[in-house]
Each structure stands twice: as C-alpha cells, then as structure tokens.
Amino acid sequence: QRTRRNVAEALMSLLREGDPEPTARAVAERAGVSLRLVFHHFAEMDDLYHYVAALLLRRQWSGMPCVSPKLALATRLERIAAHRAVLYEEISPVRRALMRRMSTSDGVCAAVAAADALLLENLKETFAPELSALPASSRLEVLEAMDVASSWEAWERLRSVSVLQVRGAKRVMTRMLDALCATPVSARRNVHVGAAAVS
C-alpha cells in the first residue's frame, strides 16, 4: 500500500507541476521505483489514475466541512465558496487529467461521479432551509442549478477562461449561489406571467 500511495503521489506531483500526461517512466523516476514495479502494482496507467481518483475522493470526504443550516445565509455562502476555492485550486491539475481518462476508465468515471455526488449532498444539507421553502416541483431544479454554479467545471471556467483570480472567482460563485437562494423560481415565473398579462 505504501508503494501504491507513493506512485500515486508521484503522478499527482507531476500533474501539479504542469505535465499534463506524465509517462509511466517519469512517474517511476519521481517515485524512486523501477518502471517494472509501477506496472507490478498497476496493470496500466488507467488503473493508476483510478487509484488517484479514489485517493482524492477519500481526502475530499475527510475534509468536507459540515456547515450548519442554522447559520446565517451569508455565512454559509462564504464558507461553501471558501471551501470549494481551496479544494478546486488543489485538485484542478489532477482533475483535468482525470477528465481526459473518463472515456477509457470506468473506475475513474465512478470516482469522479462519487466526488461530485458528495459535493451535491453538501449543498443539499447546507442550504436545506432555502430549498425546503421552495415548491417541491422546483426544489430539484434549484439544487441542480446550485450544483452547476459551485462545480469544479464552473470554477475551471472562471479561472482558466475568464482568467479571474481566486478572490474574484469566489465572489462570482458566491453571487450565483446567493441569487439562487434569494428568490424562488416560482415567484420569478409568476412575476413574468403577471407582467405579460398586464401588457
């Protein structure tokens, strides 16, 4: 297990340093083991990436904050955005590599899906008061919108495409979540319908 962990840490280290797809030989050299030993523990590189994805999932699980739904909304928004900013900044180089492996590894797909499901459940618990105030018909829709707004993919766009600094990306994420919490979807729809009827 120590050797497997050492090899996985070597791969993640290379990814974080900017190598988008390290070779098995490069991983072996970084881990200080032979190439043969790498493939003794992992039949192929997809198996190694699966192990890395599972390792990140365990770390995400142990580091997931429990934000009480009894706290003020502003406090909950700040804590969720702060946690995800730290998490996403740490995992982004590895997550990009995992996304490229999803087409060839069912194990990577399953681990990434489990990590995303964990984040979704965290949102559901944190914003339970706001969600429970919504009509049942729109509750899931708003939760899914929250999930998208605070997802790694959204963070990646804010940081890599919009080229925002961490502080700016956090503000945008907080603003999106705040907007989703502020006004029930049904209320906005009723406003539009009423305006249309008057016109």
Side-chain angles (χ1 to χ4, degrees):
Q1 285 299 320
R2 280 197 300 271
T3 300
R4 288 168 65 83
R5 180 71 64 89
N6 187 30
V7 171
E9 294 289 354
L11 172 57
M12 288 191 286
S13 175
L14 290 167
L15 289 168
R16 289 181 178 123
E17 289 174 8
D19 187 343
E21 194 162 355
T23 64
R25 186 173 298 281
V27 172
E29 290 176 357
R30 175 59 61 90
V33 300
S34 67
L35 182 60
R36 181 177 180 180
L37 187 59
V38 170
F39 286 114
H40 170 74
H41 287 282
F42 303 100
E44 55 186 6
M45 288 299 285
D46 276 351
D47 292 336
L48 174 53
Y49 277 93
H50 178 200
Y51 184 84
V52 164
L55 189 62
L56 286 183
L57 174 60
R58 288 195 293 273
R59 290 178 180 175
Q60 183 179 316
W61 178 273
S62 63
M64 186 65 66
C66 181
V67 182
S68 172
K70 295 180 180 179
L71 293 171
L73 176 59
T75 302
R76 285 179 280 142
L77 289 168
E78 191 280 330
R79 291 188 183 180
I80 286 294
H83 167 257
R84 299 204 176 193
V86 172
L87 174 66
Y88 295 155
E89 285 299 295
E90 179 185 349
I91 71 170
S92 279
V94 181
R95 175 77 179 227
R96 293 185 199 110
L98 294 177
M99 297 299 283
R100 291 191 292 270
R101 292 278 168 171
M102 288 179 68
S103 61
T104 58
S105 173
D106 291 340
V108 169
C109 284
V112 169
D116 289 346
L118 182 59
L119 291 172
L120 177 62
E121 190 62 29
N122 184 238
L123 286 176
K124 188 176 180 180
E125 294 172 358
T126 301
F127 298 109
E130 290 72 26
L131 291 167
S132 62
L134 294 171
S137 58
S138 59
R139 198 170 297 149
L140 180 58
E141 181 180 295
V142 172
L143 177 59
E144 289 177 345
M146 288 180 172
D147 188 36
V148 172
S150 58
S151 65
W152 174 80
E153 288 81 0
W155 186 262
E156 176 75 349
R157 179 177 178 84
L158 291 170
R159 295 283 283 125
S160 299
V161 179
S162 299
V163 199
L164 294 179
Q165 296 299 312
V166 171
R167 182 178 297 179
K170 281 171 59 179
R171 284 200 301 266
V172 172
M173 180 180 288
T174 301
R175 182 180 291 272
M176 289 190 291
L177 289 172
D178 188 30
L180 288 164
C181 290
T183 308
V185 172
S186 59
R188 290 198 293 269
R189 286 174 178 166
N190 289 337
V191 169
H192 294 320
V193 170
V198 170
S199 62

